[in-house]
Amino acid sequence: METKIQVLPEDLCNKIAAGEVVERPSSVVKELLENSLDSGATNILIELEAGGKRLIRVTDDGCGMSRQDAFLSFERHATSKIRTDADLFALHTLGFRGEAMASIASVSRLRLKTCDNTDGLGNQIYVEGGKIKSVTELGMPQGTVVEVRNLFFNLPARKKFLRKEQTELGHAADVVTKQAMANPTVSIRLKHNDRMMLDLRREKGVRERVAALLGRSVLNDLLSVEQQSEDDLQLSALISQPQLTRSAASHIYTFINGRYIRDRVVQHAVMDGYRHLLMKGRYPVVVLFLQIDPAQVDVNVHPTKHEVRFREQSLVHDFIAQSLQQALRPAEWLVKPPVDQEERLQPASQSEVVVPREEAMRHDSVREIHGDYSPPAANVDQRLSQGDIPSSRHFSFEQPYRTNSDTGTNQYSLPGSMAQGFFSGLQILGQYHQSYILCQDGADLVLIDQHAAHERVGFEKLRHAYAAGEIPSQTLLFPEVLELDFNSATALDDNQQELERLGFEIEPFGGKSFALKAVPLLLVDRNVAKLVVDVALELERIGRTGQLRESIDDILIMMACHSVIRANQALAPVEIKALFKDLDEIDFKANCPHGRPVVQRMTLSEVERLFRRK
């Protein structure tokens, strides 16, 4: 009797596997680039034609393969990187599934050249549609060359899904960019149609590689973050100041143990770190590396290895979010000038610059205000490049409180007892349009949005006051019955204790129904039925909830917005000083709770260019 169930032939299995592993030319680039990095290569060349649709060639100087290993590399689930199931939770390589070469070869014409010795004798294997056509010996240096031509030549339906040449090239370049960030000590070049697109030399660290990939101007606005937890979590990141944003999350690069990932828990944690610092629809520039015990993370979730699963996802989420918040909280970029890029990127032996004593003395005296003081333009140009912000290390904020009667203008400076922060040390010039406070900081003109500034002060005070005690609850006169679907009911039941800690009182009401008996006091007038379900589902998804915090914060923001200084409101000098003193005492002072900037700065050079003096 003929059976209905049959074992699929090997070539069909490879094509099915290729459907998951090889989505487009960039998938091939990713797999081959990972193999090159795993082989210990220090120089890698990626060559593409027609965006990778016609040709993908990856050349490296890694360890290479013997003749027998070269044959085995085309077998499914054949790999040198793991041996037992325990190795899956002790991974130190990018690849481990042993599917890439077999999958790529099954949907292309592939030529493998490899040599594992210094004698210069290697082997060449030509595979077409998954079938080995020829095997020859050849002379070549140690390393491997994989040449993939006519991708999807035997799957015309799949080939039709490929995009235009520039689109496919963009995806391939993005893959190379991500791998290059994680491996700054490897020289990586990308060539398209004989034109060099990327030429990345070996760098001593991630900062230099980020400068080469994203631009030195971007690096100027990135903050360094280094954190380590008691749970053996280690985070190293470059994160943008809130004024540097993008319209999409494409510039958030996250790596777990050197592997690029797209994980919703990590992504949520990054955005949580920027809570109330970005405008809606804006995203930061982040390059984040997280080191974690391989046993605490499962990377064998999907063949592309982009997704991971953490054993303690709430722990990872909170560690990332709190690390970013800790770096952003002081808003140090307001008072600390970015390190000059040329100086920052010099070799260690040249990075130390000795400042002459006269120049150091000029720095220390710049903040002393005299009625006829006008800083020399040459010194300003040398010390204040566009966008640089003077540092409290170089400028003295302690000035006498007085009116500059000689010039007829009111210039208020603060007494030494109040000069404890950036804002308190500004020289107040006046108020523009009864909405913006004009100040001078060294040679720079500083404009402060009085409503945005006071809104941040009011919000932070309300938030700290609310968090100081337990979350107050309001018992409902008539409990509200929540009738839920199975997933929502399960999430609500599993996280009932956490919800009670957040101010909700919920009791099972039979089946998939629950009775909502009390809600947080600030949410009494809100539609909390939907909110409580969303909170439960988020707890289930990432182990922590931001929904409740966002709802409470929205109310606190609204309260702050309606109770603070408005635009078109005249302020007396004493009120401005009190506002500045409050700003210096709070966190996240550079942005209002909606993400709008509090401070804008114009250098003397910029002002002079407006008047054609430059």
Side-chain angles (χ1 to χ4, degrees):
M1 180 178 178
E2 186 178 355
T3 60
K4 295 182 179 180
I5 298 177
Q6 298 181 4
V7 177
L8 296 178
E10 187 69 17
D11 60 339
L12 180 55
C13 291
N14 288 335
K15 289 180 180 178
I16 294 173
E20 295 180 319
V21 177
V22 185
E23 180 183 359
R24 59 197 328 155
S26 60
S27 305
V28 177
V29 173
K30 172 184 176 294
E31 297 295 340
L32 298 182
L33 187 51
E34 286 182 351
N35 283 344
S36 294
L37 292 168
D38 285 340
S39 72
T42 57
N43 293 280
I44 302 174
L45 172 63
I46 302 105
E47 299 171 273
L48 307 177
E49 291 182 9
K53 293 186 285 186
R54 188 185 309 134
L55 168 69
I56 302 170
R57 183 187 295 119
V58 178
T59 305
D60 67 59
D61 60 352
C63 62
M65 291 181 284
S66 65
R67 182 183 180 91
Q68 186 174 0
D69 285 340
F71 277 107
L72 287 173
S73 68
F74 293 105
E75 298 293 331
R76 290 185 66 219
H77 306 303
T79 179
S80 62
K81 298 161 188 177
I82 61 173
R83 290 288 185 269
T84 66
D85 54 354
D87 294 337
L88 286 174
F89 296 95
L91 289 172
H92 298 283
T93 56
L94 297 173
F96 60 90
R97 297 174 65 99
E99 294 179 314
M101 290 294 287
S103 298
I104 296 169
S106 68
V107 293
S108 67
R109 296 183 172 97
L110 186 148
R111 189 180 305 275
L112 170 67
K113 302 175 184 178
T114 185
C115 175
D116 68 340
N117 56 72
T118 57
D119 298 334
L121 182 62
N123 295 277
Q124 176 179 264
I125 301 177
Y126 177 69
V127 185
E128 187 173 305
K131 297 181 179 179
I132 296 178
K133 296 294 186 179
S134 65
V135 180
T136 57
E137 291 185 344
L138 80 165
M140 63 174 292
Q142 185 173 4
T144 300
V145 179
V146 181
E147 186 178 284
V148 179
R149 292 186 179 272
N150 308 121
L151 189 64
F152 300 134
F153 80 97
N154 53 351
L155 291 176
R158 191 71 179 275
K159 193 173 184 178
K160 291 179 181 178
F161 283 92
L162 297 180
R163 302 299 181 184
K164 294 180 180 179
E165 178 177 316
Q166 287 302 314
T167 303
E168 297 299 343
L169 173 61
H171 286 290
D174 185 55
V175 167
V176 175
T177 296
K178 292 165 182 173
Q179 294 293 351
M181 279 187 184
N183 299 275
T185 58
V186 179
S187 172
I188 299 178
R189 292 175 293 161
L190 173 63
K191 184 182 289 187
H192 181 249
N193 294 343
D194 294 326
R195 179 188 172 192
M196 191 64 70
M197 306 295 295
L198 283 175
D199 189 357
L200 304 172
R201 63 179 185 179
R202 302 181 199 175
E203 303 287 0
K204 62 181 180 180
V206 174
R207 179 176 289 276
E208 291 78 11
R209 181 54 59 86
V210 169
L213 289 168
L214 302 185
R216 295 187 177 185
S217 59
V218 172
L219 185 65
N220 202 42
D221 289 324
L222 298 183
L223 308 173
S224 295
V225 183
E226 298 286 343
Q227 289 290 335
Q228 186 162 0
S229 75
E230 298 177 354
D231 303 289
D232 294 329
L233 295 175
Q234 186 174 349
L235 182 142
S236 176
L238 293 172
I239 64 174
S240 64
Q241 302 167 13
Q243 68 264 27
L244 176 62
T245 61
R246 297 290 184 263
S247 59
S250 56
H251 281 67
I252 299 179
Y253 303 95
T254 53
F255 302 85
I256 305 295
N257 294 341
R259 182 192 307 278
Y260 173 78
I261 63 160
R262 291 194 305 260
D263 184 77
R264 60 186 181 184
V265 173
V266 176
Q267 188 95 351
H268 186 280
V270 169
M271 296 308 298
D272 202 32
Y274 280 87
R275 181 184 296 272
H276 304 309
L277 292 176
L278 303 179
M279 297 284 286
K280 187 176 182 180
R282 305 300 297 181
Y283 297 86
V285 177
V286 174
V287 181
L288 184 149
F289 295 88
L290 180 68
Q291 294 294 325
I292 184 173
D293 183 356
Q296 299 298 316
V297 58
D298 183 7
V299 298
N300 189 29
V301 177
H302 191 273
T304 61
K305 301 185 287 290
H306 278 156
E307 301 176 19
V308 297
R309 184 176 293 114
F310 297 103
R311 180 173 295 181
E312 297 287 345
Q313 59 184 17
S314 61
L315 180 69
V316 174
H317 177 278
D318 290 351
F319 174 66
I320 295 174
Q322 291 169 9
S323 297
L324 268 58
Q325 287 172 2
Q326 185 174 341
L328 294 167
R329 180 176 288 111
E332 291 180 346
W333 57 90
L334 287 175
V335 297
K336 188 179 296 182
V339 179
D340 181 71
Q341 292 301 306
E342 296 296 334
E343 180 177 326
R344 176 187 288 165
L345 298 176
Q346 285 179 351
S349 59
Q350 303 176 7
S351 61
E352 295 185 4
V353 178
V354 179
V355 181
R357 183 173 180 79
E358 319 63 272
E359 299 235 350
M361 291 175 65
R362 280 203 296 271
H363 271 284
D364 292 337
S365 60
V366 165
R367 285 295 287 151
E368 295 178 3
I369 297 178
H370 302 284
D372 58 351
Y373 175 73
S374 176
N379 292 340
V380 172
D381 290 342
Q382 291 173 6
R383 291 297 164 191
L384 298 177
S385 61
Q386 183 174 351
D388 285 353
I389 300 174
S391 169
S392 58
R393 295 194 306 269
H394 303 313
F395 294 88
S396 172
F397 289 142
E398 297 187 5
Q399 306 164 12
Y401 174 70
R402 65 183 180 186
T403 301
N404 190 345
S405 56
D406 296 338
T407 61
T409 59
N410 291 330
Q411 296 181 333
Y412 300 98
S413 54
L414 305 178
S417 61
M418 296 180 64
Q420 298 176 354
F422 169 72
F423 290 98
S424 297
L426 295 175
Q427 177 188 349
I428 303 171
L429 302 178
Q431 197 178 11
Y432 172 67
H433 208 260
Q434 295 187 340
S435 300
Y436 304 96
I437 303 170
L438 273 64
C439 303
Q440 183 173 331
D441 184 26
D444 290 357
L445 177 65
V446 177
L447 291 85
I448 298 171
D449 185 331
Q450 63 190 39
H451 175 67
H454 202 203
E455 191 175 20
R456 170 57 74 176
V457 171
F459 172 67
E460 290 297 325
K461 288 183 176 180
L462 286 172
R463 185 162 64 169
H464 286 306
Y466 185 77
E470 296 182 358
I471 298 179
S473 295
Q474 172 69 55
T475 302
L476 300 178
L477 184 60
F478 300 103
E480 185 170 357
V481 177
L482 308 177
E483 296 182 354
L484 310 174
D485 59 76
F486 182 79
N487 288 337
S488 298
T490 302
L492 196 61
D493 186 55
D494 291 344
N495 296 283
Q496 188 172 340
Q497 185 176 356
E498 180 70 14
L499 287 167
E500 289 178 357
R501 194 183 66 82
L502 295 172
F504 296 98
E505 184 179 344
I506 303 170
E507 289 184 358
F509 201 66
K512 300 191 294 295
S513 299
F514 293 82
L516 179 61
K517 303 179 68 175
V519 299
L521 185 60
L522 281 180
L523 301 177
V524 169
D525 297 326
R526 293 292 183 97
N527 179 14
V528 293
K530 180 178 182 300
L531 175 63
V532 71
V533 177
D534 290 344
V535 168
L537 289 173
E538 190 174 22
L539 283 167
E540 190 75 16
R541 183 169 64 91
I542 65 170
R544 282 289 182 270
T545 178
Q547 290 275 352
L548 180 61
R549 272 194 301 167
E550 287 179 4
S551 298
I552 293 177
D553 284 351
D554 286 344
I555 296 174
L556 297 180
I557 290 172
M558 182 179 63
M559 293 169 61
C561 187
H562 287 83
S563 62
V564 300
I565 296 170
R566 312 292 295 178
N568 300 314
Q569 180 178 342
L571 297 179
V574 66
E575 293 176 304
I576 295 176
K577 290 186 291 179
L579 172 61
F580 284 3
K581 182 175 182 294
D582 287 341
L583 274 173
D584 284 327
E585 294 175 351
I586 63 168
D587 299 327
F588 308 110
K589 63 195 72 167
N591 298 81
C592 82
H594 300 100
R596 289 190 295 269
V598 167
V599 179
Q600 292 291 350
R601 177 183 295 270
M602 293 183 67
T603 65
L604 179 62
S605 298
E606 291 175 309
V607 175
E608 288 181 335
R609 279 197 295 269
L610 292 176
F611 294 96
R612 304 294 189 269
R613 290 184 177 272
K614 284 282 185 179

